[in-house]
Amino acid sequence: MRATRWLPPAIGIAVLAVALAVAFLPGKAPASAGGRPASVPARLADYSYLTGDVSASPPGRAVALYQHGFGVEFMDFPQAVMLGADGDVYRRVGVAEARGGPETQGDAAPMLLSPDGTRIAVGDYASSAPDVAVLDPTSGRVKVHPVPGGRSAIPLAWSPDSTLLAYLTTAEPSNPYTGTAITGDVGVLDARAGTASILPGPPDVRAVAFSPDGTQMAIHRIEPDGTAEDWGIPRLGGGTVDIVALDGTVRRQIELPSDRYLSGPAAWSPDGTLLATRRQSTECDDQINGWDEVPWQRCLDQQDDTVFVDVAGGGDAVPPALPTGLVGSHGLLGWTDTDEVIVLDNYPTPGDPEADTALYWLTAVPLDGGEPRRLSAVPGGGNYGVGNFQLATALLPDLQVREAGEVDRGRWPAWLRLGTAALSACVALLATRIIIRRTERPAVPRGPR
């Protein structure tokens, strides 16, 4: 009987060891793109707690990057999620979640997907020694590059070949929730060499976009003047867009009206002739009545949102503006061609009984006034919102839409694998004890009949 005393713990330890070994084996190698065009499913997968990390099972190149969840609902934990370009492959970007500090209020740190989908840059709003982490989703490896600057490093734009990263750095720690636009110096990091430098100019940069040939940058400079009335929305418009060489030499300037601002890293058209700007509209703010958003959305439908500017300033004709009701809150995500853009349309027509307010829609919008094409539904209009949605812009000209298949979420999160292993060991130990007790139980003598 003494020999059996050590058997239950021994079996429990053995099961735990095997479970841990299986749980933390390296993930499968990513599938090769094989020269295939990138694709998106007709409907992206829902929010899930079981999505594994990129580092645990690298998924290959990414076609989309976004935050799923805002932390405002019960059990709503914000996740940084990437979608693979070659299948229904979803992974959490743990390095972005880990680098988010108190200033993000639970959101991921500032992150930016490269045009070819092979790099994700992750910065930091508040740091004593600024650096940029660059994640390779094809291998799961992360390289951290110290960069010159002040107390932050915020990725702004990738060059078209996905090698140079323009980032913003501020003299003091920054905070995206102060209600004031974040402006500062702009630096450029060479992700291959790991070297970086600050461009000359005043610390008033808000946004950057690279030219399609990668030889110039459009740098939007503004002077923050507080917040928009009543709602704590940063004033983003006005100032100038400087067209500069990669060394910061200004080649020309474009004046912007006080209510217009550069529309992010995908603002420059593929043929180099147009810049997309957005109009910051406050006319609709007084239309919000409690939690009833219908009047507000109806008002937005009537406002111009994305306005195109002639880069050369020669007075050439530009496409008509796109309404806010079509563009949504995420702005211009990329170009499929010189005459078509992709947006995330998340404002359903007010009163439309067919509108699904739990879905956003990736939508291709012709610039000649043609009918928009819905490409892919993105769950997130309900309890788990979607923010900071980005696309791998170099993959968009050949982007395909396919039926959604079986979702690959990779290896479970580490905490769940560890918990499952521990539970398996406990069950094995308990089962062994029960079996031993039953087998060692003395037989009950039978009395005479």
Side-chain angles (χ1 to χ4, degrees):
M1 294 180 60
R2 290 184 178 179
T4 60
R5 291 180 181 176
W6 54 267
L7 192 56
I11 292 178
I13 292 172
V15 170
L16 178 61
V18 172
L20 287 174
V22 172
F24 290 95
L25 281 174
K28 296 186 297 183
S32 172
R36 298 189 306 272
S39 63
V40 292
R43 189 183 192 278
L44 271 65
D46 292 312
Y47 182 99
S48 173
Y49 301 111
L50 301 182
T51 305
D53 190 81
V54 171
S55 60
S57 44
R61 60 180 182 162
V63 69
L65 175 69
Y66 55 99
Q67 178 171 307
H68 211 169
F70 293 146
V72 296
E73 302 287 347
F74 178 66
M75 295 298 288
D76 168 11
F77 302 106
Q79 298 179 357
V81 179
M82 61 151 285
L83 168 63
D86 304 295
D88 294 79
V89 182
Y90 299 83
R91 298 290 187 271
R92 289 174 65 171
V93 184
V95 63
E97 296 176 9
R99 288 170 68 96
E103 73 283 350
T104 68
Q105 298 185 17
D107 293 345
M111 55 186 181
L112 191 66
L113 178 63
S114 68
D116 65 1
T118 65
R119 291 186 171 105
I120 297 173
V122 182
D124 198 337
Y125 286 113
S127 173
S128 58
D131 57 31
V132 175
V134 179
L135 167 67
D136 178 355
T138 67
S139 67
R141 290 192 291 268
V142 176
K143 291 183 179 179
V144 178
H145 302 286
V147 294
R151 298 293 304 277
S152 64
I154 304 170
L156 293 183
W158 281 101
S159 62
D161 64 358
S162 302
T163 60
L164 301 179
L165 175 73
Y167 66 93
L168 181 73
T169 183
T170 56
E172 300 296 332
S174 56
N175 186 322
Y177 289 104
T178 59
T180 303
I182 298 176
T183 59
D185 292 305
V186 63
V188 177
L189 166 68
D190 186 329
R192 296 168 303 181
T195 57
S197 60
I198 300 293
L199 298 187
D204 56 3
V205 175
R206 189 201 68 83
V208 172
F210 276 87
S211 64
D213 63 3
T215 63
Q216 300 180 94
M217 290 183 288
I219 298 179
H220 183 202
R221 298 182 180 277
I222 65 171
E223 293 184 8
D225 58 352
T227 61
E229 294 181 2
D230 299 329
W231 293 98
I233 302 172
R235 292 191 182 276
L236 306 175
T240 63
V241 173
D242 292 350
I243 307 300
V244 307
L246 296 185
D247 62 0
T249 302
V250 179
R251 294 180 173 174
R252 58 189 175 278
Q253 288 187 325
I254 301 172
E255 296 283 341
L256 289 185
S258 61
D259 61 350
R260 296 240 295 274
Y261 59 94
L262 188 68
S263 184
W268 214 319
S269 66
D271 61 2
T273 63
L274 299 174
L275 276 178
T277 66
R278 299 196 69 186
R279 181 171 178 268
Q280 187 171 17
S281 172
T282 59
E283 294 92 340
C284 300
D285 290 347
D286 60 359
Q287 300 293 320
I288 299 178
N289 181 20
W291 293 105
D292 183 7
E293 294 184 355
V294 171
W296 177 56
Q297 292 179 2
R298 185 177 290 117
C299 178
L300 287 175
D301 277 340
Q302 301 170 1
Q303 306 298 319
D304 288 341
D305 179 283
T306 298
V307 181
F308 297 95
V309 176
D310 174 22
V311 175
D316 292 343
V318 297
L322 304 179
T324 300
L326 176 61
V327 176
S329 61
H330 292 81
L332 192 152
L333 301 179
W335 304 70
T336 63
D337 207 336
T338 57
D339 58 357
E340 186 178 68
V341 298
I342 292 184
V343 300
L344 191 65
D345 175 6
N346 62 324
Y347 291 114
T349 303
D352 182 357
E354 302 298 323
D356 188 343
T357 57
L359 295 176
Y360 302 134
W361 283 93
L362 275 178
T363 305
V365 182
L367 298 186
D368 60 3
E371 190 69 21
R373 301 182 291 121
R374 281 185 166 179
L375 304 178
S376 179
V378 182
N383 287 343
Y384 303 102
V386 168
N388 194 19
F389 198 95
Q390 308 168 31
L391 293 173
T393 54
L395 306 181
L396 300 185
D398 299 316
L399 185 69
Q400 298 180 351
V401 180
R402 52 179 172 74
E403 289 300 316
E406 183 179 355
V407 174
D408 173 3
R409 297 191 183 276
R411 302 177 69 80
W412 286 355
W415 64 267
L416 186 55
R417 283 180 277 151
L418 182 61
T420 302
L423 180 61
S424 300
C426 291
V427 170
L429 188 150
L430 181 61
T432 304
R433 284 188 178 277
I434 292 174
I435 292 172
I436 290 175
R437 286 183 179 180
R438 287 187 175 181
T439 57
E440 291 183 344
R441 185 179 299 168
V444 178
R446 296 182 178 180
R449 294 183 178 179

